[in-house]
Amino acid sequence: MRFDLHIHTTASDGAWTPDQVVAGARDGGLDVIAITDHDTTAGVLPAIEAARGTDVRVVPGTELSSTWKGREVHVLGLGIDPVAPVILAHRDRARRIRLERMERMVGALEREEAIAVRFEDVLAQAGADPEIVGRPHLARVLVAQGHARDLPEAFDRFIGNHRPAFVPTALQEPSDAVRTVLEAGGVPIWAHPPMDLLSRLLPELVDAGLQGLEVHRPETRPSHARRLKNAANKQGLLTSGGSDWHDLGRNRSLGHFWVGQAKIEPLIERLGIDVG
């Protein structure tokens, strides 16, 4: 079976609606996908509904933002209850804080780079009633206005981590994100762990209840994957993997990257996924 346990939709900063993601996963030969939008589960139930009658199975999830010493740290919540009160409360708080953050980033672009971007244009990229506003929405405006050739350049030059207009999300501490996932009945996984933070932050997250590391990703170097797997084994953690799919501009089509069942068998069992 082919798994992709890290996919975004238009509920946060992905390019495809939940039903389009399910169709893309089916066309790409994926068997099990996780909908893991940033700080919201709004795309989960529509994706589950879209998957009815197909061979694609949908794992409910989210990707919670947090900040540690000024660095972005993301925690996946796999197998969560998408309407758990703690998740809905987090979504409402995240929506407000992300809007405030985006206003600051727009201001930083004008102040640091003399680039005038209208906040309204960023909101328009996120949709008529945006659930979550993120950096990819701003990146698309920068590309549309000719300030960057594509989304990767927009991040590399202006809004990526430590770039002139970057502002941390500052929603919570990583340990709080782990506890939120646990309270929602899910499996907390550290998403794309930065190598320089692994040994420094991992003990704190394990103490908070972290259950796994995201090891298998299309961009991860083999040496880094080995280090992550060794760390997971040492701490008794599960391993996970996914494409972190957002759009065709940054990623290839759904199904181009997948994780085999054998690589994440313990996680599959923990999530209660029937692979028979």
Short mmCIF file of all heavy atoms in Angstrom, two decimals, residues 84-133:
data_model
loop_
_atom_site.label_atom_id
_atom_site.label_comp_id
_atom_site.label_asym_id
_atom_site.label_seq_id
_atom_site.Cartn_x
_atom_site.Cartn_y
_atom_site.Cartn_z
N ALA A 84 -12.83 17.96 17.82
CA ALA A 84 -12.57 18.01 19.26
C ALA A 84 -12.55 19.47 19.73
O ALA A 84 -12.03 20.34 19.03
CB ALA A 84 -11.23 17.36 19.58
N PRO A 85 -13.13 19.77 20.88
CA PRO A 85 -13.17 21.17 21.35
C PRO A 85 -11.80 21.83 21.37
O PRO A 85 -11.66 23.00 21.02
CB PRO A 85 -13.77 21.04 22.75
CG PRO A 85 -14.63 19.81 22.68
CD PRO A 85 -13.90 18.87 21.78
N VAL A 86 -10.76 21.09 21.76
CA VAL A 86 -9.43 21.69 21.84
C VAL A 86 -8.92 22.07 20.45
O VAL A 86 -8.21 23.07 20.29
CB VAL A 86 -8.45 20.72 22.56
CG1 VAL A 86 -8.19 19.47 21.72
CG2 VAL A 86 -7.15 21.44 22.90
N ILE A 87 -9.29 21.30 19.43
CA ILE A 87 -8.88 21.60 18.06
C ILE A 87 -9.63 22.81 17.54
O ILE A 87 -9.05 23.69 16.87
CB ILE A 87 -9.11 20.38 17.16
CG1 ILE A 87 -8.11 19.28 17.51
CG2 ILE A 87 -9.01 20.75 15.68
CD1 ILE A 87 -6.66 19.62 17.23
N LEU A 88 -10.92 22.89 17.81
CA LEU A 88 -11.71 24.03 17.34
C LEU A 88 -11.27 25.32 18.04
O LEU A 88 -11.21 26.39 17.41
CB LEU A 88 -13.19 23.77 17.59
CG LEU A 88 -13.78 22.55 16.86
CD1 LEU A 88 -15.28 22.44 17.14
CD2 LEU A 88 -13.52 22.64 15.36
N ALA A 89 -10.93 25.22 19.31
CA ALA A 89 -10.43 26.40 20.03
C ALA A 89 -9.09 26.85 19.47
O ALA A 89 -8.84 28.06 19.29
CB ALA A 89 -10.31 26.09 21.52
N HIS A 90 -8.23 25.89 19.16
CA HIS A 90 -6.94 26.23 18.55
C HIS A 90 -7.14 26.90 17.20
O HIS A 90 -6.47 27.89 16.88
CB HIS A 90 -6.09 24.98 18.38
CG HIS A 90 -4.81 25.22 17.64
ND1 HIS A 90 -3.66 25.68 18.25
CD2 HIS A 90 -4.50 25.12 16.32
CE1 HIS A 90 -2.71 25.84 17.35
NE2 HIS A 90 -3.20 25.50 16.17
N ARG A 91 -8.05 26.37 16.39
CA ARG A 91 -8.31 26.95 15.06
C ARG A 91 -8.73 28.41 15.17
O ARG A 91 -8.23 29.26 14.42
CB ARG A 91 -9.42 26.15 14.37
CG ARG A 91 -9.83 26.69 13.01
CD ARG A 91 -11.23 26.25 12.64
NE ARG A 91 -12.21 26.79 13.57
CZ ARG A 91 -13.49 26.43 13.59
NH1 ARG A 91 -13.92 25.50 12.76
NH2 ARG A 91 -14.33 26.99 14.45
N ASP A 92 -9.64 28.70 16.08
CA ASP A 92 -10.13 30.08 16.20
C ASP A 92 -9.01 31.02 16.63
O ASP A 92 -8.89 32.14 16.12
CB ASP A 92 -11.29 30.13 17.21
CG ASP A 92 -12.53 29.42 16.69
OD1 ASP A 92 -12.62 29.18 15.47
OD2 ASP A 92 -13.40 29.07 17.53
N ARG A 93 -8.19 30.58 17.56
CA ARG A 93 -7.08 31.41 18.02
C ARG A 93 -6.05 31.57 16.90
O ARG A 93 -5.53 32.67 16.68
CB ARG A 93 -6.44 30.77 19.25
CG ARG A 93 -5.28 31.57 19.84
CD ARG A 93 -4.91 31.02 21.21
NE ARG A 93 -3.71 31.67 21.71
CZ ARG A 93 -2.48 31.21 21.55
NH1 ARG A 93 -2.29 30.08 20.88
NH2 ARG A 93 -1.44 31.86 22.04
N ALA A 94 -5.77 30.49 16.20
CA ALA A 94 -4.78 30.55 15.12
C ALA A 94 -5.23 31.48 14.01
O ALA A 94 -4.42 32.21 13.43
CB ALA A 94 -4.54 29.15 14.57
N ARG A 95 -6.49 31.45 13.69
CA ARG A 95 -7.00 32.31 12.62
C ARG A 95 -6.75 33.77 12.95
O ARG A 95 -6.28 34.54 12.10
CB ARG A 95 -8.50 32.05 12.43
CG ARG A 95 -9.11 32.81 11.27
CD ARG A 95 -10.55 32.39 11.05
NE ARG A 95 -11.11 33.05 9.89
CZ ARG A 95 -12.30 32.79 9.39
NH1 ARG A 95 -13.05 31.85 9.93
NH2 ARG A 95 -12.75 33.44 8.34
N ARG A 96 -7.03 34.16 14.18
CA ARG A 96 -6.82 35.56 14.58
C ARG A 96 -5.35 35.93 14.58
O ARG A 96 -4.95 36.96 14.03
CB ARG A 96 -7.43 35.78 15.98
CG ARG A 96 -7.14 37.16 16.56
CD ARG A 96 -7.79 37.31 17.92
NE ARG A 96 -7.39 36.30 18.86
CZ ARG A 96 -6.24 36.30 19.54
NH1 ARG A 96 -5.37 37.30 19.36
NH2 ARG A 96 -5.96 35.35 20.40
N ILE A 97 -4.52 35.08 15.16
CA ILE A 97 -3.10 35.40 15.27
C ILE A 97 -2.43 35.39 13.89
O ILE A 97 -1.55 36.21 13.60
CB ILE A 97 -2.41 34.41 16.23
CG1 ILE A 97 -2.89 34.68 17.66
CG2 ILE A 97 -0.88 34.51 16.14
CD1 ILE A 97 -2.35 33.73 18.69
N ARG A 98 -2.84 34.49 13.01
CA ARG A 98 -2.26 34.45 11.67
C ARG A 98 -2.61 35.69 10.86
O ARG A 98 -1.80 36.16 10.05
CB ARG A 98 -2.70 33.18 10.94
CG ARG A 98 -1.90 31.94 11.34
CD ARG A 98 -2.40 30.71 10.60
NE ARG A 98 -1.48 29.58 10.75
CZ ARG A 98 -0.44 29.36 9.98
NH1 ARG A 98 -0.15 30.20 8.99
NH2 ARG A 98 0.33 28.30 10.17
N LEU A 99 -3.81 36.21 11.04
CA LEU A 99 -4.17 37.46 10.36
C LEU A 99 -3.28 38.60 10.84
O LEU A 99 -2.79 39.41 10.04
CB LEU A 99 -5.64 37.78 10.59
CG LEU A 99 -6.65 36.95 9.80
CD1 LEU A 99 -8.06 37.23 10.29
CD2 LEU A 99 -6.54 37.23 8.31
N GLU A 100 -3.08 38.67 12.15
CA GLU A 100 -2.22 39.71 12.70
C GLU A 100 -0.78 39.55 12.20
O GLU A 100 -0.11 40.53 11.86
CB GLU A 100 -2.25 39.64 14.24
CG GLU A 100 -3.62 39.98 14.84
CD GLU A 100 -3.69 39.68 16.32
OE1 GLU A 100 -2.71 39.10 16.86
OE2 GLU A 100 -4.71 40.00 16.94
N ARG A 101 -0.31 38.31 12.13
CA ARG A 101 1.03 38.05 11.64
C ARG A 101 1.18 38.48 10.18
O ARG A 101 2.19 39.07 9.79
CB ARG A 101 1.32 36.55 11.76
CG ARG A 101 2.64 36.10 11.14
CD ARG A 101 2.54 34.69 10.64
NE ARG A 101 3.83 34.12 10.30
CZ ARG A 101 3.98 33.01 9.59
NH1 ARG A 101 2.92 32.37 9.15
NH2 ARG A 101 5.18 32.56 9.29
N MET A 102 0.16 38.19 9.36
CA MET A 102 0.26 38.54 7.95
C MET A 102 0.29 40.06 7.76
O MET A 102 1.02 40.56 6.89
CB MET A 102 -0.92 37.93 7.18
CG MET A 102 -0.79 38.08 5.67
SD MET A 102 0.78 37.44 5.00
CE MET A 102 0.68 35.71 5.48
N GLU A 103 -0.44 40.78 8.57
CA GLU A 103 -0.39 42.24 8.50
C GLU A 103 1.03 42.73 8.81
O GLU A 103 1.54 43.65 8.15
CB GLU A 103 -1.39 42.85 9.47
CG GLU A 103 -2.83 42.73 9.02
CD GLU A 103 -3.79 43.46 9.95
OE1 GLU A 103 -3.80 43.13 11.15
OE2 GLU A 103 -4.51 44.35 9.47
N ARG A 104 1.68 42.10 9.78
CA ARG A 104 3.06 42.48 10.12
C ARG A 104 4.03 42.14 9.00
O ARG A 104 4.97 42.89 8.72
CB ARG A 104 3.47 41.79 11.42
CG ARG A 104 2.71 42.28 12.66
CD ARG A 104 3.07 41.46 13.88
NE ARG A 104 4.50 41.52 14.20
CZ ARG A 104 5.11 40.69 15.02
NH1 ARG A 104 4.42 39.71 15.60
NH2 ARG A 104 6.39 40.82 15.27
N MET A 105 3.80 41.02 8.32
CA MET A 105 4.68 40.63 7.23
C MET A 105 4.52 41.58 6.04
O MET A 105 5.51 41.95 5.40
CB MET A 105 4.40 39.18 6.81
CG MET A 105 4.82 38.18 7.86
SD MET A 105 4.65 36.45 7.32
CE MET A 105 6.01 36.33 6.18
N VAL A 106 3.30 41.96 5.75
CA VAL A 106 3.07 42.93 4.68
C VAL A 106 3.77 44.24 5.01
O VAL A 106 4.41 44.86 4.15
CB VAL A 106 1.56 43.14 4.47
CG1 VAL A 106 1.29 44.36 3.60
CG2 VAL A 106 0.93 41.90 3.83
N GLY A 107 3.68 44.67 6.27
CA GLY A 107 4.37 45.88 6.69
C GLY A 107 5.88 45.75 6.59
O GLY A 107 6.58 46.69 6.19
N ALA A 108 6.40 44.57 6.93
CA ALA A 108 7.85 44.35 6.85
C ALA A 108 8.35 44.37 5.42
O ALA A 108 9.45 44.84 5.14
CB ALA A 108 8.20 43.01 7.51
N LEU A 109 7.54 43.87 4.50
CA LEU A 109 7.93 43.91 3.08
C LEU A 109 8.12 45.35 2.61
O LEU A 109 9.07 45.67 1.90
CB LEU A 109 6.87 43.22 2.22
CG LEU A 109 7.00 41.71 2.04
CD1 LEU A 109 5.77 41.16 1.34
CD2 LEU A 109 8.26 41.36 1.25
N GLU A 110 7.19 46.21 3.01
CA GLU A 110 7.30 47.61 2.59
C GLU A 110 8.45 48.31 3.30
O GLU A 110 9.20 49.09 2.70
CB GLU A 110 5.99 48.34 2.84
CG GLU A 110 5.98 49.77 2.33
CD GLU A 110 4.60 50.36 2.26
OE1 GLU A 110 3.66 49.78 2.82
OE2 GLU A 110 4.46 51.45 1.65
N ARG A 111 8.62 48.01 4.56
CA ARG A 111 9.66 48.67 5.36
C ARG A 111 11.06 48.20 4.98
O ARG A 111 11.98 49.02 4.85
CB ARG A 111 9.40 48.40 6.84
CG ARG A 111 10.35 49.10 7.79
CD ARG A 111 9.94 48.89 9.22
NE ARG A 111 9.97 47.47 9.61
CZ ARG A 111 8.89 46.72 9.80
NH1 ARG A 111 7.69 47.22 9.63
NH2 ARG A 111 9.01 45.45 10.15
N GLU A 112 11.24 46.90 4.80
CA GLU A 112 12.57 46.33 4.58
C GLU A 112 12.94 46.22 3.10
O GLU A 112 14.12 46.29 2.75
CB GLU A 112 12.66 44.94 5.23
CG GLU A 112 12.37 44.91 6.72
CD GLU A 112 13.43 45.65 7.52
OE1 GLU A 112 14.57 45.77 7.03
OE2 GLU A 112 13.10 46.11 8.63
N GLU A 113 11.93 46.02 2.23
CA GLU A 113 12.22 45.75 0.83
C GLU A 113 11.57 46.75 -0.13
O GLU A 113 11.71 46.62 -1.35
CB GLU A 113 11.74 44.34 0.47
CG GLU A 113 12.44 43.24 1.23
CD GLU A 113 13.90 43.10 0.81
OE1 GLU A 113 14.21 43.30 -0.37
OE2 GLU A 113 14.74 42.81 1.70
N ALA A 114 10.87 47.74 0.43
CA ALA A 114 10.16 48.74 -0.40
C ALA A 114 9.21 48.07 -1.39
O ALA A 114 9.04 48.52 -2.52
CB ALA A 114 11.15 49.63 -1.14
N ILE A 115 8.56 47.00 -0.95
CA ILE A 115 7.58 46.30 -1.77
C ILE A 115 6.20 46.53 -1.16
O ILE A 115 5.95 46.15 -0.01
CB ILE A 115 7.88 44.79 -1.84
CG1 ILE A 115 9.18 44.53 -2.59
CG2 ILE A 115 6.73 44.04 -2.50
CD1 ILE A 115 9.60 43.07 -2.62
N ALA A 116 5.34 47.16 -1.92
CA ALA A 116 3.99 47.47 -1.44
C ALA A 116 3.03 46.36 -1.86
O ALA A 116 2.77 46.16 -3.05
CB ALA A 116 3.53 48.81 -1.99
N VAL A 117 2.54 45.63 -0.88
CA VAL A 117 1.55 44.57 -1.12
C VAL A 117 0.31 44.91 -0.31
O VAL A 117 0.40 45.23 0.87
CB VAL A 117 2.11 43.19 -0.69
CG1 VAL A 117 1.00 42.14 -0.69
CG2 VAL A 117 3.24 42.77 -1.59
N ARG A 118 -0.83 44.84 -0.95
CA ARG A 118 -2.07 45.11 -0.24
C ARG A 118 -2.50 43.88 0.56
O ARG A 118 -2.53 42.77 0.02
CB ARG A 118 -3.18 45.50 -1.21
CG ARG A 118 -2.96 46.82 -1.94
CD ARG A 118 -4.25 47.33 -2.56
NE ARG A 118 -5.05 46.26 -3.14
CZ ARG A 118 -6.39 46.30 -3.24
NH1 ARG A 118 -7.06 47.34 -2.79
NH2 ARG A 118 -7.03 45.30 -3.81
N PHE A 119 -2.82 44.10 1.81
CA PHE A 119 -3.28 43.02 2.67
C PHE A 119 -4.52 42.36 2.06
O PHE A 119 -4.68 41.14 2.14
CB PHE A 119 -3.59 43.58 4.06
CG PHE A 119 -4.04 42.54 5.06
CD1 PHE A 119 -3.21 41.50 5.42
CD2 PHE A 119 -5.29 42.62 5.64
CE1 PHE A 119 -3.61 40.55 6.35
CE2 PHE A 119 -5.70 41.68 6.57
CZ PHE A 119 -4.85 40.64 6.92
N GLU A 120 -5.37 43.15 1.43
CA GLU A 120 -6.58 42.63 0.81
C GLU A 120 -6.26 41.63 -0.30
O GLU A 120 -7.01 40.67 -0.53
CB GLU A 120 -7.44 43.77 0.26
CG GLU A 120 -8.04 44.68 1.32
CD GLU A 120 -7.04 45.67 1.89
OE1 GLU A 120 -5.92 45.76 1.34
OE2 GLU A 120 -7.38 46.34 2.89
N ASP A 121 -5.15 41.86 -1.02
CA ASP A 121 -4.77 40.93 -2.08
C ASP A 121 -4.34 39.58 -1.52
O ASP A 121 -4.57 38.53 -2.13
CB ASP A 121 -3.65 41.53 -2.94
CG ASP A 121 -4.12 42.72 -3.76
OD1 ASP A 121 -5.34 42.82 -4.01
OD2 ASP A 121 -3.27 43.55 -4.15
N VAL A 122 -3.70 39.62 -0.36
CA VAL A 122 -3.30 38.36 0.29
C VAL A 122 -4.54 37.59 0.73
O VAL A 122 -4.64 36.38 0.53
CB VAL A 122 -2.38 38.63 1.49
CG1 VAL A 122 -1.95 37.31 2.13
CG2 VAL A 122 -1.15 39.42 1.06
N LEU A 123 -5.50 38.30 1.30
CA LEU A 123 -6.74 37.64 1.72
C LEU A 123 -7.46 37.04 0.52
O LEU A 123 -8.04 35.95 0.61
CB LEU A 123 -7.66 38.64 2.44
CG LEU A 123 -7.16 39.19 3.77
CD1 LEU A 123 -8.22 40.10 4.38
CD2 LEU A 123 -6.82 38.07 4.73
N ALA A 124 -7.44 37.75 -0.61
CA ALA A 124 -8.10 37.24 -1.81
C ALA A 124 -7.46 35.93 -2.27
O ALA A 124 -8.15 35.03 -2.76
CB ALA A 124 -8.03 38.28 -2.93
N GLN A 125 -6.14 35.82 -2.11
CA GLN A 125 -5.47 34.57 -2.47
C GLN A 125 -5.91 33.42 -1.57
O GLN A 125 -5.91 32.25 -1.98
CB GLN A 125 -3.95 34.73 -2.37
CG GLN A 125 -3.32 35.46 -3.53
CD GLN A 125 -3.28 34.61 -4.79
OE1 GLN A 125 -3.42 33.39 -4.75
NE2 GLN A 125 -3.08 35.27 -5.92
N ALA A 126 -6.29 33.76 -0.34
CA ALA A 126 -6.69 32.73 0.62
C ALA A 126 -8.15 32.33 0.47
O ALA A 126 -8.59 31.37 1.10
CB ALA A 126 -6.42 33.21 2.04
N GLY A 127 -8.92 33.08 -0.34
CA GLY A 127 -10.32 32.75 -0.55
C GLY A 127 -11.25 33.78 0.06
O GLY A 127 -10.84 34.67 0.81
N ALA A 128 -12.53 33.65 -0.26
CA ALA A 128 -13.51 34.65 0.15
C ALA A 128 -13.63 34.75 1.66
O ALA A 128 -13.77 35.82 2.23
CB ALA A 128 -14.87 34.33 -0.47
N ASP A 129 -13.60 33.60 2.33
CA ASP A 129 -13.69 33.57 3.80
C ASP A 129 -12.58 32.68 4.30
O ASP A 129 -12.78 31.52 4.64
CB ASP A 129 -15.05 33.04 4.25
CG ASP A 129 -15.23 33.08 5.76
OD1 ASP A 129 -14.54 33.90 6.41
OD2 ASP A 129 -16.03 32.29 6.28
N PRO A 130 -11.35 33.21 4.35
CA PRO A 130 -10.19 32.35 4.63
C PRO A 130 -10.24 31.71 6.00
O PRO A 130 -10.47 32.37 7.00
CB PRO A 130 -9.00 33.31 4.50
CG PRO A 130 -9.57 34.67 4.75
CD PRO A 130 -10.97 34.62 4.19
N GLU A 131 -10.03 30.41 6.02
CA GLU A 131 -9.93 29.68 7.27
C GLU A 131 -8.58 29.99 7.92
O GLU A 131 -8.51 30.33 9.10
CB GLU A 131 -10.06 28.18 7.00
CG GLU A 131 -9.98 27.29 8.22
CD GLU A 131 -11.23 27.33 9.07
OE1 GLU A 131 -12.29 27.71 8.55
OE2 GLU A 131 -11.14 26.98 10.26
N ILE A 132 -7.52 29.88 7.15
CA ILE A 132 -6.16 30.12 7.63
C ILE A 132 -5.40 30.89 6.55
O ILE A 132 -5.43 30.51 5.39
CB ILE A 132 -5.43 28.80 7.95
CG1 ILE A 132 -6.06 28.10 9.15
CG2 ILE A 132 -3.95 29.04 8.20
CD1 ILE A 132 -5.92 28.84 10.47
N VAL A 133 -4.72 31.95 6.94
CA VAL A 133 -3.91 32.73 6.01
C VAL A 133 -2.44 32.44 6.30
O VAL A 133 -1.99 32.58 7.44
CB VAL A 133 -4.19 34.24 6.14
CG1 VAL A 133 -3.29 35.03 5.20
CG2 VAL A 133 -5.65 34.53 5.85
#
